[in-house]
Amino acid sequence: MTALLAAEDLSRRFAARGLFRRGRPVQAVAGVSLAIARGEAVGLVGESGSGKSTIGRLVLGLLAPDAGRVLLEGTDLASLREAARRRVRRRLQLVFQDPYSSLDPRRRVGRQIADGLAIHRLAPPAQRRERVAALLAQVGLAPEHAERFPHQFSGGQRQRIGIARALATGPEFLVADEPVSALDVSVQAQVLALLADLRTRLGLALLFISHDLPVVRSLCDRVVVLYLGRIMEEGPASEVLRHPRHPYTRALLAAAPGDPLRPRARILLRGDPPSPADPPSGCVFRTRCPYVLAECAQVVPALRSGGPGHRFACIRDDVETTLPAPTA
Amino acid sequence: MRRLNWLPVAAVAAIAIVALATPLLPLPDPLAMDIAGRLAPPSRAHWLGQDQYGRDVLSRLLWGSRVSLGVAVLACGAAVALGTALGLAGGFLGRLAELLALRSMDIVLCFPPLLLALLVVTLLGPGAATLVPLLALLYLPGFVRVVYAGVLSVRSQDYAEAMRALGATRLRIMTRTILPNIGGPILVQFSLTMASAIVLESGLSFLGLGVVPPAPSWGLMIGAARSTMAQAPLLLLWPCLALSLTILAMNALCDALRDAVDPQRAPRPAGLRGTLAPHAPSLAPDGDALLALRGLTVEIDTPAGAIRPVRDVSLRLSPGETLALVGESGSGKSLTGLAAMGLLPPAARVVAGDIRVDGRDLRRLDETALRRLRGTAMAMVFQDPLSSLNPVHRIGAQIGEAVRAHHRLPARAVRERAVGLLRRVGIPDPERRARSFAHELSGGMRQRAMIAMAIANDPRLLIADEPTTALDTTVQAQILELISGLKRQGGMAILFITHSLPVVAEIADTLAVMYAGEIVEQGAAAALFARPLHPYTAALLASVPGEDGALPRSIPGTVPAPHDLPPGCRFAPRCAHRRDACEAAHPPLAPVGDDRLTRCIRWRDFAGTRPSAETAA
């Protein structure tokens, strides 16, 4: 299976700028490799600051990596010239988290959806209205909605418009950056159903960025769990979520509010993630890990196999069978 | 675009038309002297009188307006065109352009305007032709700065990023996305600058640096009238009046433009002024309830008429109890919480019902008594801790402020108390954190600090409005743990407002589900989760992704708007169990056995089923 899109060993740091001093650079992404096949849905899971949105921007070529490369069917995005890179954008699209700031408040939504058609000359002006109507229908909106302004829509409807705009260029790969986390639960379900439906209907490959494991499980084939810009665990969604091998994945699962009828024992993580500007030595998760050992500070655990297609970065093998140490 | 206020537009247009039409009017020559009519008062031939050389004042005023306005329009036009180009280039074309555009403007700003004027006039000689480039140069930095700042803020918006993701060229992003969004500030800056340019032209002409006599200009007229002020004070009045009225019209136009170019200015945030009218009939105290709402109805005036986003809501909360108020956006849950705090926004008012906190009727209390009650008897935690904390005060000082609002304590004791509170909400190293600012804390820590502030005076009732919605799941779990810990320790009653049923599953004792402004189901949390008796509750439960990895079921359609409610059951249009009877009459909230209430007339057919299998998408 050749990947539609492959990221190899991506790293990216951001210079922190203080008022009077230059802060330490923040390592947002460190050595992340990903491969997404045609039509596959991959969930990228992590807390805020885990670098998941940065990875989304890197694989779209909206940000340049400091190290590593992004290959679209074998072609390095960085090797393309500006004009060629713009042409490639047609095939890779982005859906944003915030349905309010992602639409231009001063332009009618029909014109915003038509932007992609105009930029890539996918439809002559005379046919654009028709194509916009078809795109709106595809996301469950009516043709007359094209004439309205963004503020006349609810959050869920705006998110649908954002998806229609991304679909206008006929992409093969969609990065959805927390597309439902700003929405009400009942509306979340509508947007998730829409994404699942579009995926099967259009054969879209999807990189679904989220901090919500149950949501990822319902939509994705594979899951990648990130912590401080590094991959902690990855593998088939059902496998990873049923038999998590990494303590962090277990903690995430335990923290997710799931079925209200089956409350479970919580593994409560202490404190906040450490600052990406000053990551701990060894395993970056060790400062919050209930299974921490002395060696964890010394060695950076490499990703190792935990079953077919399942890899995790922890030196312990007994995480599933041992109870976590009591939290302070 | 909002409706433009036409009055200032008409006033400015009238001024412009008069100035443009002056050559066509039957006016005497503004330069023709008549020494005999020197300083003559207004007469039939000379409506505004004659000046010290006997020239017609009205004629000079109108011809002067051409000079004054013409100089201002040309100078501002040049400044806005050049300034927009420089600002766009600086904000969009990379570091070098940014450096050149901004630093060159800093150099212009370094010169005092008068010094610069003297310099330019010395170089180019006085006259209207010199004034135009001079004023344009003086006003250029303002435009560059406004445009540059606008470009930076629009460029960082998701919708500009979306254009980049679509593969748009920089030119396209600049013209289609950025320019329209900074058009408003540019327009406002333009009208402000126009007013100021008219004043400056008059000032420079008055000093002899601008328009050269005998050509008429308002500044020259003021200057000349000053010397004969004792004999003919009216001469000073006319140009001053013209100047003031023109500037007044310009400023009004600027206000009108600012209002009009903002298509959807955010409604004012929930204000902090209680508007509970002290006239409601008082009811007998409601047992030992800490919070008792009875038949609460809130009304808001909108341009489309009054709406009632909260109707007939009754809730009861005992000490130590946690009641979760669950509903989607627009269900009225947050307004209910604000009403219980006496913190309704100014546009909203309680039109019916009774709010009692600790037995005291909130609608009968004045603002001072309410303020005393807030903090001591009740406190509130909001969703977004970053916007609820003051960015310029240290965390410890803000918590100390909350303590001092109700206790007279020495500064040292206040500080110790603040640190103690931070420790109590589980913030590590509280002494150091007390000296931090809000932006230095993580989202979870900020929410802990907010909770510390809320519990500073040991309130008996805590109202938490979506306190974990903005947080990561792991941090959300910590905050929920903290809240239930506080509840166990202090016997505090908690009203927990949220849109997520799973979040409250572990902390709520009782649940009230709101839909479209009214409670549709109420009861003990465990019973309600196990066996929802309203299709909406069932649908909400089914919309949560389950353990099995199946896609969650969505509720078709959207919440009806408060001014467009369906006549019968409000949920009927979206309900899979709808019958004709549901749409015929609005069902009451009826008791159905042990402490359960439901607003569904078909609850018997519906009961006993686990929801997810039942609600069709």
Side-chain angles (χ1 to χ4, degrees):
Chain A
M1 185 170 73
T2 56
L4 169 69
L5 190 116
E8 293 177 354
D9 217 13
L10 285 183
S11 293
R12 170 78 198 202
R13 52 173 67 203
F14 292 103
R17 268 207 274 184
L19 192 54
F20 298 111
R21 62 207 148 97
R22 270 182 103 81
R24 284 191 189 207
V26 171
Q27 186 80 41
V29 177
V32 167
S33 299
L34 281 175
I36 297 155
R38 219 167 256 289
E40 189 186 27
V42 174
L44 198 55
V45 182
E47 294 174 272
S48 13
S50 62
K52 51 194 196 301
S53 294
T54 307
I55 292 179
R57 304 294 194 276
L58 286 171
V59 298
L60 288 176
L62 289 172
L63 271 179
D66 295 331
R69 47 188 199 151
V70 179
L71 305 173
L72 178 67
E73 286 185 323
T75 314
D76 188 349
L77 286 187
S79 72
L80 297 175
R81 288 172 166 280
E82 179 67 23
R85 197 178 313 165
R86 274 207 302 273
R87 272 198 300 281
V88 160
R89 295 259 162 84
R90 188 179 73 74
R91 306 170 59 188
L92 316 170
Q93 279 301 314
L94 176 61
V95 175
F96 292 84
Q97 168 176 10
D98 182 352
Y100 291 89
S101 72
S102 65
L103 297 178
D104 188 336
R106 285 172 205 267
R107 298 176 65 213
R108 292 177 202 280
V109 300
R111 305 203 51 179
Q112 300 194 47
I113 294 172
D115 273 340
L117 301 173
I119 291 164
H120 297 285
R121 303 206 174 79
L122 297 173
Q127 287 173 25
R128 280 189 201 146
R129 181 187 289 267
E130 227 170 279
R131 292 284 292 273
V132 167
L135 285 162
L136 283 169
Q138 206 162 44
V139 297
L141 293 172
E144 63 266 24
H145 287 139
E147 295 308 311
R148 299 200 192 152
F149 286 98
H151 68 266
Q152 293 167 297
F153 293 94
S154 69
Q157 288 174 316
R158 283 162 158 258
Q159 204 53 293
R160 287 167 189 271
I161 293 165
I163 293 173
R165 177 178 60 188
L167 292 179
T169 60
E172 297 148 63
F173 173 67
L174 204 60
V175 172
D177 189 357
E178 303 246 21
V180 298
S181 57
L183 304 175
D184 271 329
V185 189
S186 67
V187 184
Q188 271 186 14
Q190 292 178 1
V191 173
L192 286 176
L194 171 65
L195 282 173
D197 172 55
L198 289 173
R199 216 194 117 201
T200 44
R201 221 153 18 103
L202 307 175
L204 276 175
L206 191 64
L207 182 65
F208 187 87
I209 300 174
S210 175
H211 66 269
D212 191 345
L213 271 173
V215 165
V216 168
R217 171 170 37 203
S218 65
L219 193 68
C220 298
D221 309 314
R222 276 200 306 131
V223 186
V224 177
V225 180
L226 280 181
Y227 187 78
L228 279 194
R230 292 146 180 92
I231 294 181
M232 296 291 113
E233 183 161 12
E234 63 172 321
S238 53
E239 172 68 16
V240 170
L241 300 179
R242 209 170 304 136
H243 302 295
R245 303 292 299 270
H246 197 286
Y248 180 59
T249 316
R250 287 178 64 80
L252 269 185
L253 270 172
D259 192 328
L261 279 183
R262 282 196 280 167
R264 81 213 98 205
R266 283 232 154 110
I267 306 174
L268 206 57
L269 291 183
R270 284 161 288 179
D272 296 301
S275 157
D278 189 17
S281 67
C283 172
V284 286
F285 183 56
R286 70 177 166 84
T287 52
R288 296 170 82 200
C289 182
Y291 297 91
V292 66
L293 303 173
E295 301 98 285
C296 294
Q298 268 98 55
V299 285
V300 178
L303 278 170
R304 59 197 178 107
S305 175
H310 186 174
R311 300 195 300 158
F312 66 105
C314 179
I315 56 171
R316 287 183 71 156
D317 269 318
D318 55 350
V319 163
E320 246 190 308
T321 49
T322 323
L323 281 175
T327 51
Chain B
M1 182 134 167
R2 278 189 182 187
R3 279 192 61 81
L4 186 63
N5 182 359
W6 287 106
L7 193 69
V9 180
V12 171
I15 293 170
I17 288 170
V18 168
L20 286 174
T22 301
L24 307 176
L25 297 178
L27 291 167
D29 182 355
L31 303 183
M33 296 195 223
D34 171 16
I35 301 301
R38 194 170 174 273
L39 298 178
S43 64
R44 189 171 281 260
H46 305 282
W47 290 359
L48 299 184
Q50 288 163 281
D51 70 2
Q52 76 272 33
Y53 298 116
R55 297 173 296 199
D56 181 60
V57 171
L58 179 65
S59 172
R60 284 184 70 76
L61 201 61
L62 293 186
W63 281 98
S65 75
R66 284 171 70 82
V67 178
S68 296
L69 293 176
V71 165
V73 167
L74 286 178
C76 291
V80 77
L82 198 59
T84 306
L86 276 175
L88 275 176
F92 216 75
L93 292 184
R95 285 283 168 80
L96 186 67
E98 183 178 339
L99 192 79
L100 288 178
L102 291 183
R103 293 302 154 254
S104 62
M105 289 308 109
D106 289 349
I107 294 172
V108 173
L109 283 175
C110 282
F111 285 97
L114 210 58
L115 202 65
L116 196 65
L118 279 170
L119 191 74
V120 173
V121 171
T122 317
L123 287 175
L124 299 181
T130 310
L131 274 179
V132 172
L134 171 66
L135 292 181
L137 184 65
L138 280 178
Y139 291 124
L140 193 56
F143 284 105
V144 175
R145 297 245 154 199
V146 165
V147 173
Y148 175 73
V151 172
L152 286 198
S153 94
V154 175
R155 202 179 59 170
S156 64
Q157 294 286 321
D158 281 349
Y159 56 80
E161 172 101 344
M163 290 297 284
R164 236 157 63 73
L166 281 171
T169 56
R170 285 205 275 209
L171 184 69
R172 188 183 185 96
I173 300 176
M174 215 139 59
T175 53
R176 299 283 175 93
T177 303
I178 292 188
L179 258 185
N181 277 292
I182 57 173
I186 297 180
L187 271 176
V188 170
Q189 175 80 6
F190 181 76
S191 50
L192 275 176
T193 310
M194 275 290 289
S196 136
I198 295 170
V199 177
L200 199 58
E201 181 279 322
S202 301
L204 289 174
S205 298
F206 173 84
L207 291 174
L209 298 175
V211 179
V212 189
S217 117
W218 291 349
L220 282 178
M221 289 174 74
I222 294 173
R226 199 182 56 102
S227 52
T228 57
M229 203 158 59
Q231 297 104 306
L234 271 184
L235 283 188
L236 196 58
L237 176 70
W238 305 125
C240 287
L241 205 60
L243 196 64
S244 311
L245 285 179
T246 307
I247 288 165
L248 203 62
M250 281 290 181
N251 285 348
L253 177 69
C254 136
D255 282 350
L257 280 179
R258 189 190 52 212
D259 286 349
V261 294
D262 218 344
Q264 29 116 23
R265 239 182 328 157
R268 281 215 285 167
L272 293 183
R273 289 208 25 242
T275 46
L276 297 169
H279 56 60
S282 187
L283 291 172
D286 204 341
D288 62 343
L290 202 50
L291 171 70
L293 303 180
R294 270 202 231 167
L296 175 72
T297 301
V298 175
E299 192 170 272
I300 295 182
D301 284 322
T302 68
I307 54 165
R308 296 191 161 179
V310 176
R311 293 179 310 281
D312 195 19
V313 166
S314 300
L315 292 173
R316 208 171 160 286
L317 193 55
S318 309
E321 185 185 350
T322 300
L323 178 114
L325 192 58
V326 181
E328 294 175 83
S329 338
S331 63
K333 58 186 192 302
S334 292
L335 273 178
T336 305
L338 289 172
M341 281 293 285
L343 285 178
L344 280 178
R349 61 184 177 277
V350 174
V351 287
D354 194 43
I355 307 167
R356 283 178 174 282
V357 173
D358 217 0
R360 303 176 66 179
D361 187 346
L362 241 60
R363 297 186 66 188
R364 289 175 170 277
L365 296 179
D366 59 9
E367 188 56 37
T368 330
L370 265 176
R371 198 163 48 232
R372 253 201 308 275
L373 213 55
R374 284 186 212 124
T376 53
M378 55 188 182
M380 192 152 186
V381 176
F382 294 94
Q383 171 175 350
D384 184 0
L386 188 55
S387 63
S388 316
L389 287 170
N390 191 328
V392 300
H393 290 302
R394 295 178 197 277
I395 297 295
Q398 291 188 59
I399 297 172
E401 204 54 52
V403 173
R404 271 217 303 270
H406 298 280
H407 298 278
R408 288 181 158 275
L409 286 174
R412 213 189 135 83
V414 169
R415 217 167 21 242
E416 272 164 17
R417 188 113 170 227
V419 170
L421 282 163
L422 285 174
R423 187 173 294 119
R424 196 169 151 206
V425 295
I427 289 187
D429 199 359
E431 286 84 5
R432 193 166 64 86
R433 285 304 176 193
R435 291 192 298 274
S436 306
F437 291 100
H439 68 92
E440 295 170 329
L441 302 184
S442 67
M445 282 238 250
R446 278 183 219 131
Q447 196 56 287
R448 284 177 193 270
M450 278 302 296
I451 293 174
M453 212 145 64
I455 61 169
N457 296 296
D458 293 311
R460 303 183 55 206
L461 168 68
L462 181 70
I463 299 179
D465 189 357
E466 304 258 14
T468 63
T469 306
L471 304 174
D472 276 319
T473 16
T474 53
V475 181
Q476 166 171 296
Q478 295 172 359
I479 297 289
L480 289 176
E481 184 75 21
L482 168 66
I483 292 179
S484 31
L486 290 174
K487 180 184 138 187
R488 277 194 304 272
Q489 286 167 24
M492 198 163 47
I494 299 172
L495 178 64
F496 196 99
I497 302 172
T498 181
H499 73 274
S500 167
L501 276 171
V503 162
V504 297
E506 282 160 59
I507 65 165
D509 304 311
T510 45
L511 271 181
V513 180
M514 282 188 83
Y515 182 77
E518 54 196 25
I519 291 179
V520 293
E521 180 166 11
Q522 201 170 342
L528 202 140
F529 278 128
R531 195 168 146 240
L533 295 180
H534 194 284
Y536 178 63
T537 317
L540 267 188
L541 280 169
S543 66
V544 176
E547 299 279 282
D548 50 359
L551 264 183
R553 285 156 194 279
S554 55
I555 310 174
T558 49
V559 182
H563 53 80
D564 192 20
L565 292 173
C569 169
R570 314 301 190 206
F571 187 61
R574 303 172 73 188
C575 182
H577 305 270
R578 172 186 58 237
R579 295 286 181 277
D580 289 345
C582 299
E583 283 166 329
H586 181 219
L589 188 63
V592 287
D594 45 329
D595 275 344
R596 293 288 294 274
L597 296 166
T598 179
R599 213 181 265 282
C600 180
I601 53 171
R602 301 195 62 233
W603 66 272
R604 272 189 197 82
D605 313 330
F606 176 79
T609 50
R610 181 76 174 102
S612 40
E614 184 92 12
T615 325

